[in-house]
Amino acid sequence: MANRICELLNLEYPIFQGGMAWVSESNLAAAVANAGGVGLIAAANAPTDWVEQEIKAAKGLTNRVFGVNIMLLSPYADDIAQLVIDEGVKVVTTGAGNAGKYIDKWKEAGIKVIPVVPSSALAVRMERAGADAVIAEGCESGGHIGELTTMTLVPQVVDSVNIPVLAAGGIADSRGVKAAFALGAEGVQVGTRFLVANECTVHANYKESVLKAKDTDTIATGRITGHPVRVIKNNLARQMQKLEREGDAEGIEKLGGGALALAARDGDVKAGSVMCGQIAGLVTREQSAREIIEEMFS
Ligand code: TUI
């Protein structure tokens, strides 16, 4: 394919793997990069040392384009913003906040900067601040989400900026890719389908939850905290809903702490937080990252 996203990063396919907290590490990122897309290491709330180690590991696994997703609510965000410069990372995506204060120094270092945005207003701000592209992520996505759907967000962002737009949220097969392009996107970001990639090292129970999930099996919890999160409905999600009805935002934050690691690392998919997108019902088998990408662009 030839379009602005492929040209920006010299890609075979305009596909980014989502920066999924506790999931997207060097093995998955390198597999996606080797298959012709952009692999991402999710810094999430991890300490800077862990991110450094994963960047170094990815360098040993691929010569192609991989990047780091920086979760801007992380207490380590400032340090990781510097680490990507020191390590010569080629592309940075950001989530869960406004990346504005970092963009100048990343651009000076030659890094391609691609923030995730939940609104056209933030897309315009990111373009003005010097972003190379934006990822318009709809609330079909897993994890921390905004208010708008992919169907409504993508065309409005496309019309608001001149830089290329990638679509995210609810995209897991070639129909989703075509729909994204029909809305004006020039690339896609995919999370949920890569959760079950052979190269994804998330706990097997987590993969099984995604493979078994039906279209209606996810819900957004925690709206009252200001950081709603889409997860598979399980014991934890039901407890969160109860706390939400009681208006107990503090209780939700407390219950959420460590819950993703419990599911992703330890495999407790009942008490842990199983973040995944609404498209999970379409994701029914484990495949290599290469097979996933080639099928999506066939
Ligand atoms: O960031 C994500 N997905 C995530 S982050 C995460 S870890 C986490 N867990 C619990 C609470 C919070 C984080 C799990 N999944 N996707 C990108 C994304 N960015 N979704 C929504 C946003 C966003 C929201 C507000 C981006 C910018 C923003 O701007 C606010 C502002 O300051 O203008």
Side-chain angles (χ1 to χ4, degrees), residues 115 148 214 249:
L148 297 177
K214 299 189 302 293

Side-chain angles (χ1 to χ4, degrees), residues 21 71 73 95-98 116 118 122 125 137 143-146 227 229 275:
M71 207 279 284
L73 295 170
N98 182 341
V116 172
L122 191 59
R125 294 223 297 275
E137 187 180 287
H144 176 41
I145 50 174
H227 301 120
V229 173
M275 295 184 182

